[in-house]
Amino acid sequence: MHGNPTIVARDPLLKVENLVVEYPIGARTVHAVSDVSLEIARGETLGLVGESGCGKSTLGRAVLQLRRAKSGRVLFDGADLTALQGDALRKMRHRVQLIFQDPIASLNPRRRIGDIIAEPLVIAGVKDAKKRRELVCETLSAVGLDPALVVGRLPHEFSGGQCQRICIARALVLNPEFIICDEPVSALDVSIRAQILNLLEEMKQRFALTLLFIAHDLAVVKAVSDRVAVMYLGRLCEVGPSAQLFDKPAHPYTALLIEAIPVPDPDVRPAESVAVGEPPSPMAPPSGCRFRTRCPRADAKCAAEVPELRPVASGQYVACHHPLI
Ligand SMILES: Nc1ncnc2c1ncn2[C@@H]1O[C@H](COP(=O)(O)OP(=O)(O)OP(=O)(O)O)[C@@H](O)[C@H]1O
Ligand code: SF4
Ligand SMILES: [Mg+2]
């Protein structure tokens, strides 16, 4: 394992250090997250992007300790979550919440919305039922839902967009500092995605939140993130300020993702893809640079040596032996 790269964010709220997460499958191992280090500053939105199966959700779950890492550390406001157990971990978890991709599936179909949103308060030990009701109503109003019309109803009575508002309310009710949004708009109708993204932005400002925003769609990530981290097959390829990374990507994989963003003009054809084929299996990742089997710049060094993240421009870091800038 190599050292922690200096992806220095001002006043980091979250620091992930050399995180390794694996899933044993019989005699084999899925290398889902391999030696990932990153920092997220207080009040920042870090976008995490990469194709399906590259380990984004696993990284998010490992930050929350829903999946324990094989090695590495997760420091939240200075406390090492990987070393916490029981009550101490539960207390820290109130400060970090998760919003899932599929809002309907993540709501218990048999429970009323008022109870669903009050549940984190019950678990956190808020015993006063009147206080819980007040907090539930306040939070529902904040996400644009009328409490009087919502609390007594069941999830199936709401649309996907309304369910995601309910999930956002459930995540906000304990007044957290940090929210991991795991593809929060992917399952929603295109017409309401912007509403939910705007709501998240509004909540971020109003409640001074810090966000890790996971998506496979680079266009969505670009719209909401201060900085972007690009992940491929369990490793980080590139991290940098959003506009800068889009303007001058340093990693061939980042360039590929940018080229693949659909162009609104039907007469403009998307650029030819620089990469070929499917990603390799995370059970047998390529030696050296994991992107080398799809990279037009790959050479012998790429097969022999794992490229470490290193600075290429102000605030921009790349893990590539032959970067584009
Ligand atoms: N519980 C599990 N058991 C075994 N393998 C798993 C498990 N969860 C995820 N994986 C594997 O780990 C790798 C990373 O999965 P993960 O869900 O973190 O990717 P992702 O980037 O979130 O993908 P997606 O964009 O599809 O949500 C994949 O190869 C996946 O098949
Ligand atoms: S290290 Fe080599 S294979 Fe990997 S992205 Fe850079 S040039 Fe391509
Ligand atoms: Mg995922």
Side-chain angles (χ1 to χ4, degrees):
M1 187 161 31
H2 45 88
N4 189 11
T6 48
I7 311 166
V8 182
R10 310 156 273 114
D11 187 19
L13 179 62
L14 181 81
K15 276 177 105 166
V16 171
E17 292 180 349
N18 304 106
L19 204 69
V20 176
V21 189
E22 295 176 351
Y23 299 104
I25 305 233
R28 308 191 70 191
T29 301
V30 178
H31 300 272
V33 174
S34 304
D35 199 14
V36 166
S37 299
L38 51 84
E39 298 183 356
I40 307 181
R42 237 171 263 272
E44 182 183 41
T45 299
L46 180 77
L48 179 63
V49 72
E51 63 204 293
S52 184
C54 72
K56 305 180 296 294
S57 297
T58 301
L59 179 60
R61 294 174 63 79
V63 165
L64 275 168
Q65 306 303 308
L66 296 172
R67 174 88 201 179
R68 290 289 193 168
K70 183 182 174 208
S71 59
R73 300 202 305 166
V74 176
L75 297 161
F76 181 75
D77 203 11
D80 181 3
L81 301 189
T82 53
L84 295 184
Q85 307 273 354
D87 263 0
L89 182 58
R90 266 190 293 280
K91 281 209 180 82
M92 288 305 280
R93 275 214 190 113
H94 300 159
R95 300 171 65 189
V96 187
Q97 295 292 316
L98 182 61
I99 297 170
F100 298 97
Q101 172 170 350
D102 187 343
I104 298 170
S106 78
L107 297 172
N108 183 334
R110 288 179 297 279
R111 300 203 67 192
R112 296 188 189 282
I113 304 305
D115 295 332
I116 289 174
I117 297 174
E119 193 177 13
L121 296 167
V122 174
I123 294 168
V126 180
K127 296 210 167 59
D128 180 348
K130 183 162 170 276
K131 178 77 191 158
R132 286 202 302 265
R133 269 197 302 278
E134 273 171 26
L135 287 169
V136 167
C137 291
E138 262 173 39
T139 317
L140 280 168
S141 302
V143 300
L145 295 170
D146 181 348
L149 299 177
V150 169
V151 285
R153 291 164 72 186
L154 294 165
H156 77 260
E157 298 178 62
F158 296 92
S159 68
Q162 287 170 323
C163 283
Q164 197 56 300
R165 283 179 194 268
I166 292 163
C167 291
I168 293 169
R170 179 176 57 182
L172 288 173
V173 76
L174 282 174
N175 200 15
E177 289 149 73
F178 182 65
I179 300 188
I180 299 175
C181 306
D182 192 352
E183 310 236 18
V185 298
S186 309
L188 300 179
D189 205 85
V190 174
S191 60
I192 52 165
R193 284 184 186 177
Q195 286 175 24
I196 296 298
L197 292 175
N198 289 342
L199 174 66
L200 282 169
E201 188 57 32
E202 194 191 319
M203 295 300 104
K204 187 190 158 188
Q205 301 303 335
R206 183 159 163 188
F207 299 108
L209 297 167
T210 303
L211 301 181
L212 174 61
F213 190 97
I214 298 174
H216 60 265
D217 181 344
L218 202 56
V220 168
V221 169
K222 183 185 179 190
V224 300
S225 309
D226 301 303
R227 287 188 308 142
V228 172
V230 180
M231 199 169 175
Y232 182 82
L233 213 64
R235 286 193 194 277
L236 287 188
C237 301
E238 182 163 9
V239 184
S242 188
Q244 189 176 322
L245 190 126
F246 277 83
D247 195 32
K248 285 200 172 122
H251 198 284
Y253 180 57
T254 313
L256 164 74
L257 290 177
I258 293 170
E259 283 178 18
I261 295 176
V263 184
D265 182 345
D267 294 332
V268 180
R269 289 179 40 163
E272 289 290 312
S273 165
V274 294
V276 285
E278 291 293 307
S281 164
M283 289 202 207
S287 64
C289 173
R290 291 190 178 178
F291 188 56
R292 71 177 166 82
T293 55
R294 298 168 78 194
C295 180
R297 296 182 158 226
D299 64 9
K301 186 175 183 190
C302 304
E305 282 177 40
V306 176
E308 293 195 33
L309 272 175
R310 60 187 173 81
V312 272
S314 171
Q316 191 174 355
Y317 298 81
V318 68
C320 175
H321 296 306
H322 312 294
L324 302 171
I325 56 171

